[in-house]
Amino acid sequence: MTIYPVNAFAAPKGTYDLTPPDSATFLAVREALAAPLRRAGYGYIETPGFEHVELFSRGVGESTDIVSKEMYTLTTKGGTELALRPEGTASVLRAALERNLHKAGNLPVKLWYSGSYYRYERPQAGRYRHFSQIGAEAIGAEDPALDAELIILAVDAYRSLGLREFRILLNSLGDKECRPAYRAALQDFLRALDLDDETRRRIEINPLRVLDDKREAVQKQLTGAPLLRDHLCEACKEYHERVRVLLTAAGIEFEDDERLVRGLDYYTRTTFEFVHDGLGSQSAVGGGGRYDGLSEMIGGPALPSVGWALGVDRTVLALRAEGVELALPAATEVYAVPLGEEARGVLFGLVTALRRAGVGTDFAFGGKGLKNAMKSANRSGARFALLAGERDLADGVVQVKDLESGEQKSVALDAVVDELSAQRS
Ligand code: HAM
């Protein structure tokens, strides 16, 4: 049975529409987050909005909340089990394998993406069921400089937006050599604690996640829990130290956080999160790490890789929390206001010519009167209004009004496009 919301126009729970003028900020944020990636040789990739369920259950992990509780799954009429993508990494790696990008020559294959992701989470400020990420994946290379590069690129992206109050949490989750022994030691420790049944079950399936339990009663008991830091093998220790040295040399401040476990199972070695203190409980504006085993988990060859995803929605919230206003140029630079039928035709022609010359131009549609049309011109954010009545046309001119200074002058019809194009440069 379909239950419609009380308000028939309401978007589904946990989702929201992006509309002007706010939508312009989202576009600008997406562009700013992606710009450093483009400069660093990352190529754009787009994958489908849905995938076979198995990709995520094998890749992200059966035991994660994302797969066990938060996936939107559906069975097609043909009986195929699909899931709306809850994240981008597994899809990007699958696509790279399908297209054999890793065999094309240079490794790592560096890719970036922008898109919508879906998780059936309990909605709250900063946590949505449909959200937007910019992501980056560097596939097929094990090199601490690559991990450092990605962290630096994210920092540059946030800074280019004017964001200041974010912190970087850094950890190493070890690899297939050292993690199993740590896991066993942690399980022994956790089994002796006073925990509820669900948490006890979690100890058996995903003990590292218990460290991430936010409840005070649990956190209290975790003092003295074995730390992965003390169980890392020499290779992991050395790798992590090299990442730290490279970041420090680049002037990047980070906090070592041995408790940082991410909500996805594919991570190995370097993991990191970008947190913003102005966001309350949903403080992670981005996160990522190395996933050296993911390719094999989904049936591919060994391809050590690293990546991150930055949350666009939360980055916008973080900007608001810091009171950062992005300087967004008005899309409309010129607004044309015809007075009378003949002028409509002439100005409409000029509007097209201006647009073709690269000048953002709009027109008073709908036969508005002068007062209303001027209101629309002001609201549009345009710097200039273009006015013409019968007398102007008889004189072969239009009036160009500077909406900031109020100054107005006549400009010959055949000079308008040049004159207004010149004004903007
Ligand atoms: P993630 O930590 O699950 O990682 O998500 C990355 C970012 O997406 C989060 O830090 C947050 O800003 C945003 N985000 C996640 N869930 C929501 C939500 N429900 N509402 C709003 N924003 C959200 C990944 O997705 C990994 N694929 C990142 C990665 C790439 N690791 C390696 N490569």
Side-chain angles (χ1 to χ4, degrees):
M1 186 177 67
T2 309
I3 303 172
Y4 288 104
V6 183
N7 171 358
F9 298 135
K13 190 172 168 188
T15 73
Y16 61 97
D17 304 297
L18 269 182
T19 53
D22 297 350
S23 50
T25 303
F26 276 74
L27 276 184
V29 165
R30 285 196 186 106
E31 269 166 30
L33 295 180
L37 296 169
R38 289 192 172 130
R39 285 195 294 268
Y42 288 73
Y44 179 67
I45 182 168
E46 232 176 88
T47 63
F50 50 80
E51 295 275 357
H52 291 118
V53 166
E54 214 190 326
L55 175 70
F56 301 117
S57 46
R58 285 167 69 174
V60 175
E62 287 297 357
S63 67
T64 60
D65 283 355
I66 293 181
V67 168
S68 64
K69 297 186 191 152
E70 297 168 5
M71 251 189 338
Y72 283 90
T73 53
L74 61 104
T75 309
T76 66
K77 291 196 177 90
T80 310
E81 300 239 11
L82 298 175
L84 299 188
R85 57 184 182 188
E87 62 102 43
T89 310
S91 309
V92 167
L93 188 55
R94 178 203 55 69
L97 290 169
E98 182 183 356
R99 294 295 187 100
N100 279 319
L101 300 186
H102 58 299
K103 292 186 184 158
N106 282 349
L107 288 178
V109 179
K110 302 212 282 188
L111 301 165
W112 76 273
Y113 50 95
S114 168
S116 296
Y117 298 85
Y118 307 88
R119 293 183 194 174
Y120 187 72
E121 298 202 71
R122 201 166 43 77
Q124 62 183 87
R127 195 210 265 156
Y128 310 104
R129 292 180 170 175
H130 170 199
F131 57 97
S132 167
Q133 289 183 343
I134 294 286
E137 313 292 349
I139 297 167
E142 191 188 272
D143 183 341
L146 202 53
D147 308 36
E149 162 175 294
L150 276 159
I151 294 174
I152 294 168
L153 292 173
V155 168
D156 287 354
Y158 289 137
R159 284 197 190 145
S160 76
L161 284 165
L163 220 50
R164 290 284 171 269
E165 291 159 26
F166 61 91
R167 294 179 290 129
I168 302 170
L169 309 180
L170 186 70
N171 194 18
S172 171
L173 289 183
D175 63 7
K176 58 178 189 298
E177 299 305 318
C178 52
R179 195 153 59 191
Y182 169 69
R183 194 175 182 272
L186 180 63
Q187 280 175 324
D188 283 347
F189 173 88
L190 295 173
R191 283 185 196 122
L193 304 183
D194 177 21
L195 297 166
D196 57 85
D197 288 348
E198 199 190 328
T199 314
R200 295 203 153 278
R201 267 194 299 280
R202 188 169 289 163
I203 296 174
E204 303 313 317
I205 331 168
N206 200 343
L208 269 73
R209 289 294 288 167
V210 180
L211 295 180
D212 206 23
D213 199 310
K214 302 280 185 287
R215 290 172 298 179
E216 204 181 316
V218 178
Q219 277 303 325
K220 251 194 224 150
Q221 299 186 67
L222 291 176
T223 339
L227 291 175
L228 187 49
R229 187 184 53 198
D230 305 324
H231 288 74
L232 288 181
C233 59
E234 277 314 309
C236 284
K237 253 191 224 158
E238 194 195 318
Y239 191 94
H240 196 56
E241 196 43 38
R242 285 170 67 195
V243 175
R244 295 176 78 261
V245 167
L246 286 164
L247 289 176
T248 308
I252 304 283
E253 282 176 29
F254 55 86
E255 296 166 28
D256 292 306
D257 181 357
E258 326 47 57
R259 290 273 165 94
L260 178 71
V261 270
R262 309 247 313 119
L264 306 98
D265 276 356
Y266 49 61
Y267 290 113
T268 50
R269 294 194 168 172
T270 316
T271 45
F272 48 85
E273 224 158 67
F274 304 98
V275 294
H276 194 279
D277 294 324
L279 292 188
S281 64
Q282 302 307 307
S283 61
V285 284
R290 190 153 265 291
Y291 48 95
D292 293 341
L294 178 56
S295 175
E296 286 149 299
M297 280 153 75
I298 62 170
L303 277 176
S305 308
V306 57
W308 53 236
L310 312 183
V312 176
D313 314 72
R314 287 190 198 166
T315 303
V316 171
L317 291 175
L319 287 170
R320 274 187 211 146
E322 281 196 41
V324 178
E325 289 275 347
L326 299 183
L328 302 173
T332 305
E333 298 159 85
V334 175
Y335 195 95
V337 178
L339 308 166
E341 262 324 293
E342 198 191 340
R344 286 190 85 68
V346 174
L347 281 198
F348 190 65
L350 270 182
V351 164
T352 303
L354 279 164
R355 289 174 181 164
R356 287 182 178 155
V359 182
T361 309
D362 207 352
F363 184 70
F365 289 101
K368 292 186 198 60
L370 177 63
K371 206 169 150 206
N372 256 340
M374 287 310 287
K375 255 193 209 157
S376 301
N378 281 314
R379 256 190 230 132
S380 76
R383 171 77 192 271
F384 298 103
L386 211 56
L387 296 118
E390 267 172 41
R391 189 173 317 151
D392 297 309
L393 296 184
D395 295 345
V397 298
V398 292
Q399 303 298 321
V400 175
K401 181 168 183 179
D402 184 328
L403 293 172
E404 267 173 31
S405 66
E407 267 169 49
Q408 185 167 316
K409 63 176 176 182
S410 302
V411 177
L413 268 173
D414 56 7
V416 174
V417 174
D418 283 349
E419 167 105 17
L420 286 171
S421 309
Q423 286 281 355
R424 54 204 301 269
S425 44

